[in-house]
Every structure is written in structure tokens, then in C-alpha cells.
Amino acid sequence: MTSHPTPVFILIRPQMGENIGAAARAMLNFALSTLRLVDPRDGWPNPKAVAMASGAAGKVLDHAGVFATTAEAIADCDFVFATTARGRELTKPIYTPEAAMAEARARIAAGQRVGVMFGPERTGLENDDIIRANAIITVPVNPDFFSLNLAQAVLLTAYEFARQGSDAPAIDPGLAGAEMANALEIEKLGDHYEERLEAAGFFFPEGKAPMMKRNLRNMWSRFGLTRADVQTLHGMLRQLLRNRD
């Protein structure tokens, strides 16, 4: 079986060209490009979709497959998800987008082709579509307002797929290109402040001085200082003392 590296996104009976274009744009934001359309209401190609897609037109829309029925669109898929807030009356596993895209990655890695169906804007997927899927994706949204538009649903699902394959850190400290201070530089900074604070009578009462010094040393090491930070802190202290004198 030939592996397909990303999921196939399948828009079932999409209504507005603008929404198809917005969905294509959302896909390309996360490096997904395999799009299929089932019986688009306003026909295909659609100039409004192209206008809305912007740079995604040539990479996604121009290669989109068009099918008359859902069955034809998913015929070569080994596993299919249906995105819907419905379907609890149908006996199918229900995934969050995060869990669904983890499953998709595992199946794709095993050589399977995975499809994800999205329903028309006004009504969503019908049960006749959902019964063809192997599983359901339901977004845990506000139960009093659970409607997502087509592009939002596509964006959310595409993001989850891309996120799980990304090596980007969950938190970027924003220090790219900065030289971090080494242990010796932090030690010397601590020495400088401890010496000057000692002279100023900061470590009082005497019985608490050792704990206060430990806390101060711990603070410097906890900050994750750059070399520029250390130089600035040395300079600030020198300037304060110079002005006092």
C-alpha cells in the first residue's frame, strides 16, 4: 500500500466559493494540499474560491478533485473521519481533533490513506455521509453555540495535524541569537551584588544572612540571564554606587 503523507480533506456539498477558498487557504497554512470537493453547489471551478484562497489557489484549488458523491470521494481512503457535532446516535468512536489527528498520523505512517470529511456550511454532514466514516471528530466547543464555519473547522483540524508533527517548542523564550551567561559569569555577578549589599548592611539580621545570600544566588541562576543581561546588571550597580559617592 502506498503511503499518503497527509490527510485528504473532503468538502461535502460546499455552498459558497468564498468558503472553499478560505478552507484551501487554511489548509496551506499548515502545509496540507490534498483537497476534494463533492458536488459543490455553485459548480467548479469557482472564481470566488480562487479570489479568497489567495496564494493557496495554485497549490490547493488547482489540484482539487471533484466528485459527484461522497462514496466516490472516499473510495480510495482506508480510514475516514467525519467532522460533526451530530452522530451520537450512531455507534462510532468519537475523537477530539487532537486525538483524531494523532490517529491519522499513526495510520498514515503505517501506509494508510486517511480522509477527513467536512459538511456544508448551513447543515453540516448528513447521516448518510456520516455512516460512511469510520469515526467522528467533534470539537469540544460551547454547547450553547457549537456552530463552526467551514474554514474554521478545516483550520482547527489542519493545525492539530501539523502541530503533532512539528518540532517547534511549546514555549519559545524569545532568546534566539542571544548568548546565555555561563555559570562563572553568574557566579561573579552574585559575588558583585553580595559584596556591595554586604557593605550596605542589607544582610540583616545576621542570623538570617546565610539564607538571604542563598536566596539571592538562587534568584540569579533562576533568571536565565544572557551575557548582555549580566553586563547590564553589573553596570547598573556600579552606576548606583558612583552616584551615591
Side-chain angles (χ1 to χ4, degrees):
M1 189 179 296
T2 302
S3 176
H4 192 72
T6 61
V8 179
F9 278 20
I10 306 157
L11 309 187
I12 309 295
R13 297 180 298 281
Q15 296 171 329
M16 297 176 62
E18 293 91 338
N19 288 337
I20 298 172
R25 190 169 182 170
M27 288 175 63
L28 195 58
N29 282 150
F30 298 102
L32 304 184
S33 59
T34 307
L35 177 65
R36 295 178 182 178
L37 309 174
V38 174
D39 189 24
R41 184 190 67 181
D42 297 335
W44 195 258
N46 187 314
K48 292 182 178 179
V50 173
M52 180 61 75
S54 186
K59 295 182 179 179
V60 180
L61 294 185
D62 288 355
H63 304 285
V66 182
F67 299 82
T69 67
T70 299
E72 292 172 326
I74 67 172
D76 64 343
C77 293
D78 302 292
F79 195 92
V80 178
F81 290 101
T83 58
T84 178
R86 298 183 186 179
R88 292 195 178 270
E89 70 276 14
L90 300 173
T91 306
K92 290 185 187 293
I94 299 173
Y95 290 69
T96 64
E98 179 181 15
M101 292 302 97
E103 179 77 15
R105 279 198 172 274
R107 289 181 175 276
I108 288 168
Q112 295 186 15
R113 176 165 290 181
V114 175
V116 183
M117 296 192 297
F118 300 86
E121 299 90 319
R122 188 173 62 84
T123 60
L125 290 172
E126 296 179 359
N127 282 345
D128 284 347
D129 302 307
I130 298 169
I131 60 173
R132 299 180 185 280
N134 301 99
I136 288 170
I137 300 175
T138 296
V139 181
V141 294
N142 178 1
D144 295 325
F145 190 70
F146 55 80
S147 176
L148 291 175
N149 71 33
L150 178 59
Q152 286 174 329
V154 168
L155 180 72
L156 192 154
T157 309
Y159 164 74
E160 283 295 347
F161 185 81
R163 180 181 69 83
Q164 295 182 39
S166 172
D167 58 4
I171 300 173
D172 184 345
L175 295 172
E179 282 191 80
M180 303 306 296
N182 62 33
L184 179 60
E185 289 163 334
I186 297 295
E187 185 75 16
K188 288 185 176 296
L189 178 67
D191 291 343
H192 189 186
Y193 271 78
E194 189 173 306
E195 176 188 348
R196 295 302 184 179
L197 290 171
E198 184 91 66
F202 177 76
F203 299 114
F204 180 85
E206 186 176 345
K208 292 186 177 180
M211 180 187 68
M212 295 172 72
K213 290 177 181 180
R214 283 197 303 270
N215 289 342
L216 187 62
R217 294 281 179 172
N218 184 61
M219 182 181 72
W220 297 128
S221 62
R222 189 178 71 239
F223 283 166
L225 298 170
T226 65
R227 285 183 167 173
D229 294 333
V230 168
Q231 292 168 2
T232 299
L233 288 164
H234 278 300
M236 289 166 57
L237 185 56
R238 291 190 190 101
Q239 189 63 37
L240 286 168
L241 292 171
R242 185 177 298 120
N243 287 344
R244 190 189 68 177
D245 297 340

